[in-house]
Amino acid sequence: LCPCLIYGAYVFLPFDAPLLPTVSARLVYTLRCATFATFPIVLGMIVSAISRLCSSALQPFGELHQEVEIHRTYVSQSVHLFILYFFNMAVLATYLPQELLKLIPLLTGLFAISRLIFWMSYAIGRSFRAFGFSMTFLPLLAMLLWNLYGMFVLEPENLLS
């Protein structure tokens, strides 16, 4: 489903990436796009704080209720995946040709939507969360494989430079 969503958005959304001739401009563009991927994480932090505040626990630092634990786990996992996603997107931005830089905001949007789907399905039940997690993890895995291919096959002479 992820490749279909990315391809459909790439073809049918009417925007193009700005002209980014240097690596530093591409990294700044990726950093700015990645800011939008933090929205589900910040939203999760807010909901987690509200659920902890409204929890019926007598001891605030004691055992967490399930509704509080769901949000805390979501935020923790999302932060870990965001770090991996961001670093892979930053490396990907250095290898992509100019005409494919439109993928950076699309992958950012896919990450944000995927994390929100994961959060909703995780709140429904733990058995439903695989769909949202796979929509986050499989593009991350594809970016990692493309980055390794780019580093070791396309430009092995520039591996560490």
Side-chain angles (χ1 to χ4, degrees):
L1 183 61
C2 290
C4 295
L5 288 174
I6 292 293
Y7 178 75
Y10 185 83
V11 171
F12 294 114
L13 287 179
F15 76 92
D16 287 323
L19 184 61
L20 303 168
T22 64
V23 173
S24 60
R26 290 171 180 234
L27 291 176
V28 168
Y29 180 68
T30 303
L31 184 64
R32 289 179 180 170
C33 288
T35 304
F36 293 101
T38 62
F39 172 74
I41 299 170
V42 172
L43 184 63
M45 288 177 171
I46 292 169
V47 171
S48 178
I50 291 172
S51 66
R52 186 178 279 253
L53 182 65
C54 296
S55 174
S56 61
L58 295 176
Q59 297 176 351
F61 297 108
E63 188 75 25
L64 296 177
H65 291 293
Q66 181 180 0
E67 63 269 6
V68 178
E69 185 66 30
I70 286 172
H71 303 304
R72 189 190 64 78
T73 304
Y74 163 75
V75 169
S76 174
Q77 289 177 358
S78 294
V79 167
H80 295 145
L81 284 170
F82 173 75
I83 291 168
L84 293 172
Y85 219 81
F86 173 71
F87 281 117
N88 274 290
M89 273 200 325
V91 173
L92 182 67
T94 63
Y95 286 109
L96 285 177
Q98 175 63 41
E99 60 272 2
L100 293 178
L101 282 178
K102 184 178 178 179
L103 289 175
I104 299 298
L106 295 178
L107 287 169
T108 302
L110 180 66
F111 177 81
I113 291 169
S114 299
R115 292 315 296 165
L116 290 173
I117 289 172
F118 173 80
W119 191 17
M120 288 188 307
S121 61
Y122 190 60
I124 291 171
R126 292 180 185 244
S127 60
F128 296 106
R129 65 184 176 178
F131 177 70
F133 181 77
S134 65
M135 281 185 65
T136 306
F137 182 72
L138 294 176
L140 173 65
L141 185 63
M143 284 190 292
L144 175 66
L145 293 175
W146 177 258
N147 289 338
L148 291 174
Y149 174 76
M151 285 189 285
F152 291 111
V153 176
L154 295 179
E155 297 181 11
E157 66 278 356
N158 296 331
L159 183 62
L160 299 175
S161 63

